[in-house]
């Protein structure tokens, strides 16, 4: 059987990095098995729909290099019309609404589901009443016996209500006191007694839409999904999903399930949230997102991360190859990934590790590519330099940077004379006797090498003189080696910076 997995996001907001990881693991699994990775948009909950979220999700995956085989076309649009490449279109559940009713009705006919006519007000009253007794109201195998549904009302009345009213639903008839036996590719065997489960709504007459559970099972079946790889938050739904496959008579083709561990906050316990990101200053989302309240959520892309570094870091959050290897290209991830090696327990996110990955990828990126990225930044700072020079600069500084955006701060003085001098360095190194020696050494030599020789030959204090020169050249006493700096700016520019410093600092 051909492997077919899907990522099935609901467009209820920007995709959290945990969601990207779910998509990534699905993608890796599909590619490793020579199968298909499908995108399906689960947008049947119109109350939670957020404009722009679908595009954000697709753009995020594209940025990461997670390219679907089916469901989204080359231009990043969700496919609406069936074709050989996209046989199950439309891939947006809201556009598939016509499909689901008959499945809901089929379950009623077979006795696995029933019609429920309780108004939202009457259910609200039940809830309040239970609350006043310190209990919680659950629509389940017990309470359904006293509620208004096709199990309790006379047949004639049911027929009438179905025809004349529009706020009824189809609910799953959870079997009484039955143990559901399940298998998870990560967690192993699981058993749950149905007594703890409620009669979930599957379909709503009011908007003629299925709920998540029905649409999800029907579509996974129709789309011939072989493995469902999704977040741990869906584990409580697994018994219902098992029972739905059984009720439909689809046991033979039921997909296997894998529930991925949560991403945890860097300190303490609990799920990684946007708030942790705000507090500790790291991104939790792949791309920037402008929220409806005007707040911008930070994205890895805009914060300067390479998509490969982000993907590599995410892959390792909850999975490890069982070796020491930490750096993986996408192809290497495809080759080494295995669901069985995904951990059961939550994966603690470490923002420093994310930076470490970026630093490693920056190092591995060619000088030429880095120069291409740096040139626009130079432009913004009013510097025009030819590519060859920029490449040489990049080669010199890349080990010191984590992001390309660090470059300018590290080496601006290779392109522009410093405008300011760090005061504590001035206090420490800009002493009249050192300044005098610095001038003498530079004026009497043609380059950094001979200048060093001169200082040595004249028994001047090397450290003091050099720091004085460095201060004049860069504005501070730290930075690149003087020989490197002078190679870039030339001896004449160096001398003029020394003069400028004397004018400003005395
Ligand atoms: N639409 C669900 C979500 O937003 C999909 C869950 C699943 O993969 O079954 O996470």
């Amino acid at each position: 059987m051909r492997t077919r997995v899907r990522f099935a996001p609901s467009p209820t907001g920007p995709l959290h990095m945990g969601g990207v990881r779910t998509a990534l693991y699905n993608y890796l699994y599909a590619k490793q098995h020579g199968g298909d990775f499908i995108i399906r948009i689960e947008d049947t909950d119109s109350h939670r729909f957020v404009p722009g979220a679908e595009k954000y999700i697709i753009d995020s995956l594209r940025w990461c290099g997670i390219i679907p085989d089916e469901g989204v076309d080359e231009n990043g649009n969700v496919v609406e019309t069936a074709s050989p490449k996209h046989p199950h279109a439309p891939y947006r559940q809201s556009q598939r609404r016509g499909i689901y009713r008959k499945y809901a009705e089929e379950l009623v006919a077979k006795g696995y589901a029933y019609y429920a006519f309780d108004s939202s007000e009457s259910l609200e009253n039940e809830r309040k009443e239970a609350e006043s007794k310190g209990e919680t109201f659950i629509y389940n195998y017990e309470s359904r016996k006293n509620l208004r549904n096709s199990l309790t009302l006379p047949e004639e009345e049911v027929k009438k209500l179905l025809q004349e009213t529009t706020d009824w639903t189809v609910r799953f008839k959870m079997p009484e006191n039955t143990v559901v036996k399940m298998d998870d590719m990560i967690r192993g065997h699981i058993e749950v007694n149905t007594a703890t489960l409620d009669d979930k709504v599957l379909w709503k007459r009011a908007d003629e839409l299925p709920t998540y559970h029905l649409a999800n099972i029907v579509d996974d079946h129709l789309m011939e999904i072989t493995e469902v790889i999704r977040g741990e938050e869906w584990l409580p739904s697994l018994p219902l999903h098992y029972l739905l496959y059984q009720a439909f008579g689809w046991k033979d083709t039921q997909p296997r399930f894998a529930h991925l561990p949560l991403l945890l906050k860097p300190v303490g316990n609990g799920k990684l949230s946007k708030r942790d990101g705000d507090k500790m200053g790291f991104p939790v989302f792949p791309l920037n997102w402008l929220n409806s309240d005007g707040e911008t959520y930070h994205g890895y892309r805009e914060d300067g991360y390479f998509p490969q570094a982000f993907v590599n870091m995410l892959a390792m959050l909850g999975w490890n190859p069982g070796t020491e290897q930490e750096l993986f290209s996408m192809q290497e991830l495809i080759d080494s990934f295995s669901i069985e090696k995904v951990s059961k327990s939550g994966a603690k996110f470490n923002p420093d590790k994310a930076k470490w990955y970026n630093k490693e990828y920056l190092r591995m990126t060619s000088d030429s590519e880095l120069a291409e990225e740096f040139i626009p930044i130079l432009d913004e700072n009013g510097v025009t330099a030819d590519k060859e020079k920029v490449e040489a600069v990049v080669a010199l500084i890349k080990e010191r940077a984590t992001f390309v955006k660090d470059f300018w701060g590290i080496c601006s003085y290779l392109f522009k004379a410093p405008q300011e001098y760090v005061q504590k360095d001035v206090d420490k190194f800009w002493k009249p006797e050192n300044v005098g020696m610095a001038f003498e050494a530079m004026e009497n030599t043609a380059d950094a090498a001979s200048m060093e020789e001169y200082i040595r030959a004249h028994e001047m204090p090397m450290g003091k003189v050099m720091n004085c020169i460095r201060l004049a050249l860069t504005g501070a006493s730290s930075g690149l080696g003087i020989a490197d700096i002078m190679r870039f700016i030339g001896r004449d520019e160096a001398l003029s910076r020394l003069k400028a410093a004397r004018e400003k600092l005395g």
Side-chain angles (χ1 to χ4, degrees):
M1 210 188 342
R2 188 176 174 80
T3 294
R4 287 172 59 78
V5 298
R6 84 310 189 264
F7 180 56
S10 298
T12 55
L15 188 64
H16 183 272
M17 58 192 275
V20 182
R21 188 196 58 174
T22 300
L24 174 65
Y25 283 9
N26 272 282
Y27 175 78
L28 298 176
Y29 188 88
K31 296 298 114 187
Q32 184 177 71
H33 291 85
D36 303 322
F37 171 63
I38 297 145
I39 302 265
R40 182 175 73 226
I41 304 295
E42 302 207 322
D43 59 347
T44 56
D45 187 350
S46 50
H47 300 295
R48 296 183 61 215
F49 179 82
V50 171
E54 178 187 289
K55 185 173 187 311
Y56 178 94
I57 294 166
I58 293 167
D59 288 350
S60 298
L61 298 184
R62 290 192 134 206
W63 179 65
C64 293
I66 303 172
I67 309 297
D69 299 293
E70 208 181 298
V72 170
D73 66 18
E74 310 71 54
N75 305 318
N77 296 314
V78 175
V79 181
E80 300 184 3
T81 327
S83 66
K85 200 171 180 307
H86 304 280
H88 300 285
Y91 288 85
R92 239 182 241 118
Q93 287 182 329
S94 60
Q95 293 171 330
R96 300 166 65 76
R97 63 169 69 216
I99 295 179
Y100 308 105
R101 180 172 186 166
K102 80 163 201 265
Y103 289 101
E105 305 270 10
E106 179 189 328
L107 292 186
V108 177
K110 286 175 159 175
Y112 290 111
Y114 58 89
Y115 300 111
F117 301 101
D118 321 88
S119 64
S120 14
E121 299 88 66
S122 71
L123 291 179
E124 194 44 45
N125 286 340
E126 295 284 347
R127 234 163 256 135
K128 281 193 189 132
E129 209 186 304
E131 233 166 71
S132 70
K133 288 189 245 160
E135 294 164 4
T136 3
F137 168 71
I138 308 173
Y139 207 124
N140 65 3
Y141 68 97
E142 232 162 18
S143 64
R144 70 185 172 217
K145 293 172 191 156
N146 304 312
L147 291 159
R148 282 169 57 75
N149 53 52
S150 57
L151 304 171
T152 58
L153 297 173
E155 211 180 310
E156 278 312 303
E157 193 175 349
V158 169
K159 259 192 202 147
K160 197 166 162 260
L161 286 169
L162 285 177
Q163 266 163 18
E164 290 173 9
T165 64
T166 54
D167 61 351
W168 49 269
T169 60
V170 173
R171 280 183 185 267
F172 187 71
K173 191 178 165 199
M174 191 53 79
E176 278 181 48
N177 200 23
T178 305
V179 175
V180 188
K181 298 182 174 174
M182 299 161 285
D183 287 296
D184 183 278
M185 296 165 79
I186 297 167
R187 286 146 213 278
H189 190 72
I190 306 168
E191 296 192 358
V192 171
N193 191 302
T194 53
T196 60
L197 305 172
D198 61 340
D199 289 359
K200 284 268 185 287
V201 171
L202 300 177
W203 193 82
K204 295 167 283 148
R205 172 67 178 84
D207 54 11
E208 305 210 33
L209 277 173
T211 58
Y212 154 73
H213 302 288
L214 180 71
N216 187 270
I217 270 40
V218 167
D219 283 344
D220 281 349
H221 173 71
L222 296 177
M223 295 180 181
E224 299 171 73
I225 299 304
T226 53
E227 276 84 15
V228 168
I229 303 167
R230 63 185 174 190
E232 183 179 286
E233 66 272 26
W234 299 103
L235 196 55
S237 300
L238 190 58
L240 172 62
H241 294 180
Y242 258 67
L243 292 169
L244 281 170
Y245 279 103
Q246 198 167 16
F248 281 120
W250 297 338
K251 269 284 165 219
D252 293 350
T253 54
Q254 176 184 312
R256 297 197 291 161
F257 289 88
H259 289 86
L260 305 174
L262 290 175
L263 293 193
L264 304 177
K265 37 173 105 254
V267 280
N269 284 319
K271 229 167 120 168
L272 176 67
S273 74
K274 184 185 104 49
R275 229 159 283 132
D276 301 313
D278 293 343
K279 254 191 289 173
M280 298 178 62
F282 61 80
V284 170
F285 296 93
L287 317 178
N288 270 11
W289 167 265
L290 180 63
N291 209 26
S292 55
D293 59 14
E295 193 193 350
T296 299
Y297 297 178
H298 274 252
Y300 279 86
R301 180 178 67 185
E302 289 78 2
D303 274 20
Y305 284 82
F306 294 110
Q308 298 88 340
F310 175 59
V311 163
N312 193 158
M313 180 274 293
L314 267 187
M316 307 301 279
L317 274 179
W319 168 78
N320 78 78
T323 66
E324 295 291 296
Q325 186 178 348
E326 290 191 279
L327 296 171
F328 288 85
S329 66
M330 189 66 106
Q331 189 55 50
E332 288 172 319
L333 286 173
I334 291 169
D335 295 337
S336 7
F337 183 72
S338 93
I339 279 282
E340 287 73 21
K341 287 217 176 80
V342 172
S343 78
K344 288 193 204 30
S345 49
K348 219 178 220 339
F349 172 65
N350 176 353
D352 292 334
K353 196 71 190 185
K355 285 193 182 152
W356 177 85
Y357 270 107
N358 210 67
K359 202 170 163 56
E360 292 299 314
Y361 274 83
L362 190 138
R363 236 196 224 166
M364 292 189 285
T365 306
S366 72
D367 298 341
S368 159
E369 274 172 79
L370 291 174
E372 300 272 350
E373 289 195 37
F374 189 28
I375 285 169
I377 299 176
L378 287 170
D379 250 5
E380 279 166 32
N381 285 288
V383 170
T384 10
D386 59 69
K387 173 129 190 246
E388 217 174 306
K389 176 170 177 187
V390 180
E391 261 187 63
V393 169
V394 163
L396 199 61
I397 62 168
K398 69 200 266 196
E399 295 286 331
R400 295 166 183 252
T402 301
F403 301 103
V404 171
K405 67 178 182 200
D406 299 340
F407 284 2
W408 178 248
I410 294 175
C411 73
S412 63
Y413 52 77
L414 295 182
F415 301 96
K416 272 183 173 176
Q419 302 301 306
E420 283 159 20
Y421 305 88
V422 174
Q423 193 53 48
K424 77 170 181 7
D425 294 342
V426 173
D427 296 343
K428 197 160 167 201
F429 298 113
W430 197 258
K431 301 269 158 61
E433 65 273 23
N434 300 340
V435 176
M437 287 185 280
F439 268 95
E440 187 191 328
M442 202 180 284
E443 274 168 343
N444 286 298
T445 54
D447 58 27
S450 48
M451 187 171 76
E452 233 185 280
E453 251 166 59
Y454 186 96
I455 293 170
R456 207 166 282 125
H458 291 77
E459 291 178 1
M460 295 174 173
M462 179 69 77
K464 285 180 181 167
V465 177
M466 283 305 207
N467 272 315
C468 198
I469 292 173
R470 190 197 300 276
L471 187 63
L473 301 188
T474 73
S477 67
S478 60
L480 297 166
I482 298 224
D484 286 327
I485 301 170
M486 284 183 62
R487 188 154 51 82
F488 277 102
I489 65 175
R491 181 254 184 199
D492 293 346
E493 169 67 12
L495 188 57
S496 94
R497 287 189 191 182
L498 198 56
K499 285 178 182 158
R502 186 171 58 189
E503 244 156 60
K504 282 192 188 147
L505 304 172

